[in-house]
Amino acid sequence: MRSADLLHFNLQLVLRHRFRSLMILLALAIGVAAVNLLTGLGEGAKAYVLSQFSLLGNETLILLPGKKETRGTMPPLTGESPRDITLDDASAISRLPGVVAVAPLSVGMAQVHIGARTREVIVTGTNRAFFDIRQLQLQQGQMLPARDLDIASPVAVIGSTLKQELFGNTPALGQWLKAGDSRFRVIGVLDSKGQAMGMDMNDLMLIPIASAQRLFNKPGLFRLFIQSQSSDAIPAVKQRVEQLMQRRQGGVADITLVSQDAILSAFADILSALNLAVSGIAAISLLVAGILIMNVTLISVSQRTAEIGLLKALGASNSDVQTLFLTEALLMALLGAAAGILLSELGLWAMRLRFSDLAFYSPWWARWLALAIAVATSVLFAWGPSRRAAGLQPVNALQGRRTDA
Amino acid sequence: MIELHQLCRSFLLGDQAVKALDNINLSIRAGEYISVMGPSGSGKSTLLNMLGLLDAPDSGQYLLQGTDTTLLTDNERARFRRQHIGFVFQSYHLVPRLTAQENIELPLVLAGVPPQQRKPKVAAILAQLSLTERASHLPNQLSGGQRQRVAIGRAIVMQPQLLLADEPTGNLDSQSGLDVVNILEQLNQQGITLLVVTHDPALGQRARRRIRMVDGRIVADEQHSTAAGTLHA
């Protein structure tokens, strides 16, 4: 049989048995789409979690007061360390070689009043370097002033949600608000950024670190962000900070230094569980797709037993018959897989539009794997029955369906 | 043209071996018109399948135009079938999704004949069987007689020497049946060897050579100089 005729014969089969073809293609497409879509969703979720941990940047160290274990038990509650990290420590660290900037953090709750409105707000004392390290963008106004750490000033930068809740649609810049017993002038509003590392940046009020220490009457820092020149310099900086703190704290460095790598490795179990979940989703959808395709192919072949007998009576050899059925299976697999991939990419695109934070992309291997599974299962499961059918005595096969037209 | 020597074929029915063909010896010359009659289960259909190379014997010899077909591979048997033998079935066995024209064209397609050579052959057959106007109809848009004419067209498009018909009028009313028989006999007069398997004595008696089978054996093989009786169903 000529290959052009082979293709034409099978195309005719697809086109003139529209309902049957549609059902087979649907099953194939759903199988392939499931693999692609589910893997894409899993990868998107994984990428989201990873990005949440990566926001810190790999050039940043976090200095915490007290010796803490990052593994095993729950971390102790803050504020129980015998030795505080002070602003003087922060200034000393900022002068160490390899350190570009430090951002101290002092966090507390305060009642914020504006006119008659009152709201409980997390107030964070910090400095200008914090804006760089956390990559905070301003919607309007300016950042905290770049001054020495120990100089207090009555200014505040607020998150976008807080701005909306305190001021509504009226302008906030230049307005005074009262936090505890102190008054602060709003000099900037943060761009909405969402959650990062468990802190809702939209609900934040940032004031100079010295003002915060006065407000909370607490000389110790909650933590200190240390930015190094490069990620390569991190180990050296880490060592210098430890030595310096050992000297300053009288022989024992009662501190904990955390890098992004350490955070990521602490969450290694979660990440590997996520990886496992994504692979599991892909495997299950592949299995389901495979079984779906298998059934469809088996039905398609057994429905055409009579035709196999006829083709043999008309002079087709066993290998001709098998070629016909395998070509049909291959044609269907390719058409179905193409439709399925198109469908799932559309689905992922729609998901990305809906949830702009999450990057729902299926990895390239998922598409190839889905295609390979579609082709392999349909050819494999067309192979067996078509071989059996080709081996049937033609007349028996013909008598299998006497009601043929 | 055809020589059968001590041909045997048995089937297992449950745990019992049934001899469908029991030491058949038969020789058929080119251009003969033969009918095979006999009760159900007498081995008529098995003989037909055997002659059509659709089935292989357990023992014995089948010479088709001097070639011992029992020694052929599957592919060679398929080629022999395609080139020398045409089939007409009781229930037509047309491919339902193909038009009359495409059904007739199918053996040519399977044989790998290029499209430009296929067209005139199919057109000639359609004209010969008065089916030109029905060429692009699907089988379910045709009457029984028309369907069987399409099936005959398909059987002869490769210009075989041997035409095997299994109850060709079994599903037809008497008028369409007569039309079909006339076409088959016309083909026989043009030189094709015609073998008809039937239950219908009226059809069987039109053949010049009448073979009667019982229990896998040929019990009668008569030559008649002229066709006797007329077809009435």
Side-chain angles (χ1 to χ4, degrees):
Chain A
M1 218 172 153
R2 299 148 54 89
S3 37
D5 287 330
L6 192 66
L7 195 67
H8 182 241
F9 185 85
N10 278 310
L11 274 178
Q12 248 176 358
L13 186 67
V14 172
L15 291 177
R16 294 198 187 160
H17 287 263
R18 272 192 212 106
F19 184 72
R20 173 179 165 283
S21 308
L22 210 66
M23 288 298 113
I24 295 175
L25 286 178
L26 197 65
L28 274 157
I30 286 175
V32 168
V35 173
N36 206 28
L37 203 60
L38 290 176
T39 321
L41 290 184
E43 286 287 321
K46 192 177 130 192
Y48 176 72
V49 171
L50 266 177
S51 73
Q52 286 295 294
F53 288 126
S54 305
L55 269 180
L56 192 54
N58 52 6
E59 293 151 14
T60 308
L61 282 169
I62 304 174
L63 181 67
L64 307 166
K67 201 87 187 155
K68 283 169 188 159
E69 295 294 325
T70 49
R71 294 172 54 84
T73 55
M74 286 278 289
L77 296 169
T78 50
E80 62 180 39
S81 171
R83 266 181 276 260
D84 287 333
I85 298 169
T86 62
L87 275 184
D88 285 345
D89 294 335
S91 306
I93 289 170
S94 72
R95 287 190 294 272
L96 284 175
V99 173
V100 176
V102 296
L105 224 59
S106 180
V107 180
M109 300 291 290
Q111 293 280 345
V112 171
H113 310 273
I114 172 142
R117 279 184 229 199
T118 304
R119 197 177 179 282
E120 191 90 345
V121 173
I122 301 170
V123 177
T124 303
T126 186
N127 64 349
R128 176 169 276 203
F130 185 70
F131 288 78
D132 290 336
I133 291 173
R134 299 308 298 265
Q135 290 155 18
L136 299 180
Q137 305 287 327
L138 285 169
Q139 207 174 62
Q140 40 181 292
Q142 48 186 317
M143 296 187 277
L144 291 177
R147 289 194 192 145
D148 283 348
L149 290 176
D150 52 357
I151 297 176
S153 62
V155 292
V157 174
I158 58 176
S160 55
T161 309
L162 191 59
K163 186 254 163 192
Q164 201 64 32
E165 286 179 5
L166 290 177
F167 297 100
N169 288 325
T170 61
L173 284 187
Q175 298 294 315
W176 289 85
L177 48 78
K178 204 172 165 198
D181 296 329
S182 314
R183 279 157 53 84
F184 295 92
R185 198 163 54 90
V186 177
I187 58 166
V189 178
L190 289 175
D191 212 4
S192 49
K193 190 178 182 180
Q195 285 218 319
M197 294 285 299
M199 275 171 104
D200 191 347
M201 291 297 177
N202 297 328
D203 219 7
L204 217 58
M205 175 170 161
L206 298 171
I207 58 174
I209 180 71
S211 311
Q213 285 183 324
R214 201 174 297 165
L215 183 65
F216 303 132
N217 193 20
K218 205 164 61 175
L221 296 179
F222 173 60
R223 58 187 57 177
L224 181 72
F225 287 97
I226 304 167
Q227 192 172 26
S228 79
Q229 279 166 341
S230 65
S231 54
D232 296 338
I234 285 273
V237 169
K238 210 169 167 178
Q239 208 179 1
R240 277 179 215 130
V241 170
E242 267 167 17
Q243 283 166 357
L244 178 79
M245 290 307 290
Q246 200 171 1
R247 236 178 15 252
R248 292 181 66 93
Q249 293 186 332
V252 193
D254 192 16
I255 54 159
T256 304
L257 268 170
V258 180
S259 61
Q260 176 179 284
D261 287 352
I263 296 179
L264 283 184
S265 69
F267 285 102
D269 288 349
I270 295 177
L271 288 180
S272 66
L274 257 171
N275 269 327
L276 211 65
V278 171
S279 325
I281 288 169
I284 291 171
S285 45
L286 280 174
L287 187 74
V288 172
I291 291 174
L292 210 62
I293 294 165
M294 175 188 91
N295 284 339
V296 156
T297 315
L298 281 178
I299 293 169
S300 150
V301 172
S302 53
Q303 269 182 347
R304 288 172 64 199
T305 313
E307 191 177 320
I308 293 172
L310 174 72
L311 291 175
K312 288 189 74 176
L314 294 184
S317 63
N318 284 355
S319 56
D320 283 342
V321 170
Q322 261 192 295
T323 311
L324 270 175
F325 276 80
L326 290 181
T327 316
E328 191 212 346
L330 199 67
L331 193 72
M332 284 300 202
L334 290 177
L335 284 176
I341 286 174
L342 202 71
L343 213 70
S344 53
E345 289 299 323
L346 268 175
L348 288 174
W349 176 71
M351 301 279 278
R352 287 198 292 272
L353 281 190
R354 173 71 184 76
F355 306 100
S356 49
D357 284 356
L358 279 74
F360 290 117
Y361 287 99
S362 70
W364 61 270
W365 55 261
R367 277 171 241 166
W368 285 110
L369 205 61
L371 182 70
I373 278 289
V375 170
T377 35
S378 30
V379 168
L380 194 71
F381 286 100
W383 185 272
S386 69
R387 226 180 111 83
R388 208 183 54 218
L392 274 180
Q393 289 301 339
V395 164
N396 292 350
L398 278 173
Q399 281 160 352
R401 214 169 58 166
R402 273 290 186 193
T403 50
D404 208 355
Chain B
M1 180 190 184
I2 287 174
E3 294 281 342
L4 301 184
H5 294 299
Q6 293 173 342
L7 208 69
C8 292
R9 178 77 167 104
S10 53
F11 297 104
L12 274 179
L13 256 181
D15 53 357
Q16 206 181 355
V18 176
K19 281 188 175 173
L21 295 180
D22 188 1
N23 270 309
I24 298 284
N25 290 296
L26 185 67
S27 95
I28 298 172
R29 289 184 313 279
E32 277 195 283
Y33 178 12
I34 305 166
S35 68
V36 179
M37 307 210 6
S40 293
S42 59
K44 315 185 293 285
S45 291
T46 312
L47 180 66
L48 191 85
N49 296 345
M50 205 60 77
L51 290 173
L53 292 174
L54 293 177
D55 198 358
D58 297 330
S59 65
Q61 227 185 2
Y62 171 13
L63 297 176
L64 178 60
Q65 303 202 308
T67 310
D68 185 352
T69 61
T70 48
L71 302 176
L72 298 177
T73 64
D74 175 69
N75 277 340
E76 289 166 334
R77 288 155 64 84
R79 205 177 57 233
F80 251 83
R81 247 187 338 256
R82 170 198 303 163
Q83 285 171 352
H84 302 294
I85 303 164
F87 289 93
V88 176
F89 304 98
Q90 177 176 6
S91 44
Y92 331 124
H93 286 306
L94 300 178
V95 181
R97 66 174 173 280
L98 300 181
T99 62
Q101 186 175 349
E102 287 162 342
N103 263 295
I104 294 173
E105 195 180 10
L106 194 52
L108 297 169
V109 172
L110 287 170
V113 176
Q116 61 271 25
Q117 291 176 31
R118 299 201 296 251
K119 294 295 167 213
K121 283 188 185 177
V122 174
I125 299 268
L126 283 167
Q128 183 184 349
L129 298 174
S130 339
L131 284 167
T132 310
E133 281 163 26
R134 305 270 161 189
S136 51
H137 284 55
L138 290 173
N140 60 14
Q141 297 164 327
L142 298 173
S143 72
Q146 288 166 338
R147 288 183 207 186
Q148 194 59 298
R149 288 198 331 251
V150 172
I152 294 171
R154 187 180 61 187
I156 61 173
V157 73
M158 292 291 288
Q159 295 170 314
Q161 293 97 330
L162 178 62
L163 190 57
L164 302 172
D166 187 3
E167 299 279 9
T169 59
N171 282 3
L172 299 177
D173 62 77
S174 56
Q175 186 53 49
S176 324
L178 190 59
D179 286 347
V180 164
V181 169
N182 282 335
I183 290 170
L184 290 175
E185 288 175 355
Q186 220 176 339
L187 289 166
N188 175 245
Q189 277 155 24
Q190 289 161 13
I192 205 164
T193 310
L194 176 63
L195 190 141
V196 180
V197 167
T198 182
H199 271 109
D200 179 1
L203 175 58
Q205 279 162 20
R206 292 174 68 102
R208 287 186 297 276
R209 182 174 173 190
R210 299 165 203 165
I211 293 174
R212 200 171 162 75
M213 288 185 74
V214 174
D215 292 339
R217 274 190 291 266
I218 294 177
V219 293
D221 185 351
E222 304 159 355
Q223 280 288 349
H224 295 259
S225 51
T226 50
T230 48
L231 185 78
H232 40 90

PDB file of all heavy atoms in Angstrom, chain A residues 2 14 51 56 311 369 389:
ATOM      1  N   ARG A   2       0.509   2.217  -0.821  1.00  0.00           N
ATOM      2  CA  ARG A   2       1.305   3.450  -0.871  1.00  0.00           C
ATOM      3  C   ARG A   2       1.042   4.270   0.381  1.00  0.00           C
ATOM      4  O   ARG A   2      -0.070   4.292   0.897  1.00  0.00           O
ATOM      5  CB  ARG A   2       0.913   4.250  -2.110  1.00  0.00           C
ATOM      6  CG  ARG A   2       1.160   3.511  -3.408  1.00  0.00           C
ATOM      7  CD  ARG A   2       0.142   3.911  -4.442  1.00  0.00           C
ATOM      8  NE  ARG A   2       0.122   5.349  -4.598  1.00  0.00           N
ATOM      9  CZ  ARG A   2       0.909   5.993  -5.459  1.00  0.00           C
ATOM     10  NH1 ARG A   2       1.709   5.350  -6.233  1.00  0.00           N
ATOM     11  NH2 ARG A   2       0.846   7.313  -5.544  1.00  0.00           N
ATOM     12  N   VAL A  14     -10.985   8.794  10.212  1.00  0.00           N
ATOM     13  CA  VAL A  14     -11.151   9.791  11.269  1.00  0.00           C
ATOM     14  C   VAL A  14     -12.312  10.724  10.943  1.00  0.00           C
ATOM     15  O   VAL A  14     -13.141  11.027  11.793  1.00  0.00           O
ATOM     16  CB  VAL A  14      -9.841  10.592  11.442  1.00  0.00           C
ATOM     17  CG1 VAL A  14     -10.055  11.754  12.392  1.00  0.00           C
ATOM     18  CG2 VAL A  14      -8.740   9.685  11.947  1.00  0.00           C
ATOM     19  N   SER A  51      10.105  31.059  45.757  1.00  0.00           N
ATOM     20  CA  SER A  51      10.309  32.502  45.620  1.00  0.00           C
ATOM     21  C   SER A  51      10.088  33.204  46.950  1.00  0.00           C
ATOM     22  O   SER A  51      10.720  34.204  47.253  1.00  0.00           O
ATOM     23  CB  SER A  51       9.370  33.071  44.558  1.00  0.00           C
ATOM     24  OG  SER A  51       8.055  33.102  45.066  1.00  0.00           O
ATOM     25  N   LEU A  56      14.789  37.076  50.345  1.00  0.00           N
ATOM     26  CA  LEU A  56      15.843  37.618  51.184  1.00  0.00           C
ATOM     27  C   LEU A  56      17.066  37.969  50.354  1.00  0.00           C
ATOM     28  O   LEU A  56      17.774  38.917  50.656  1.00  0.00           O
ATOM     29  CB  LEU A  56      16.187  36.548  52.227  1.00  0.00           C
ATOM     30  CG  LEU A  56      17.050  36.928  53.395  1.00  0.00           C
ATOM     31  CD1 LEU A  56      16.463  38.119  54.119  1.00  0.00           C
ATOM     32  CD2 LEU A  56      17.153  35.755  54.343  1.00  0.00           C
ATOM     33  N   LEU A 311     -10.507  -6.784   4.734  1.00  0.00           N
ATOM     34  CA  LEU A 311      -9.283  -6.309   4.109  1.00  0.00           C
ATOM     35  C   LEU A 311      -8.391  -7.477   3.728  1.00  0.00           C
ATOM     36  O   LEU A 311      -7.744  -7.468   2.682  1.00  0.00           O
ATOM     37  CB  LEU A 311      -8.546  -5.353   5.054  1.00  0.00           C
ATOM     38  CG  LEU A 311      -9.247  -4.012   5.278  1.00  0.00           C
ATOM     39  CD1 LEU A 311      -8.517  -3.191   6.316  1.00  0.00           C
ATOM     40  CD2 LEU A 311      -9.347  -3.240   3.976  1.00  0.00           C
ATOM     41  N   LEU A 369       6.757  14.137  27.863  1.00  0.00           N
ATOM     42  CA  LEU A 369       6.368  12.895  28.516  1.00  0.00           C
ATOM     43  C   LEU A 369       4.917  12.562  28.170  1.00  0.00           C
ATOM     44  O   LEU A 369       4.579  11.417  27.868  1.00  0.00           O
ATOM     45  CB  LEU A 369       6.532  13.050  30.029  1.00  0.00           C
ATOM     46  CG  LEU A 369       6.747  11.765  30.801  1.00  0.00           C
ATOM     47  CD1 LEU A 369       8.012  11.082  30.322  1.00  0.00           C
ATOM     48  CD2 LEU A 369       6.846  12.063  32.285  1.00  0.00           C
ATOM     49  N   ALA A 389      -6.072  -9.674  15.653  1.00  0.00           N
ATOM     50  CA  ALA A 389      -7.088  -9.572  14.601  1.00  0.00           C
ATOM     51  C   ALA A 389      -6.506  -9.968  13.258  1.00  0.00           C
ATOM     52  O   ALA A 389      -7.161 -10.646  12.457  1.00  0.00           O
ATOM     53  CB  ALA A 389      -7.619  -8.145  14.539  1.00  0.00           C
TER      54      ALA A 389
END
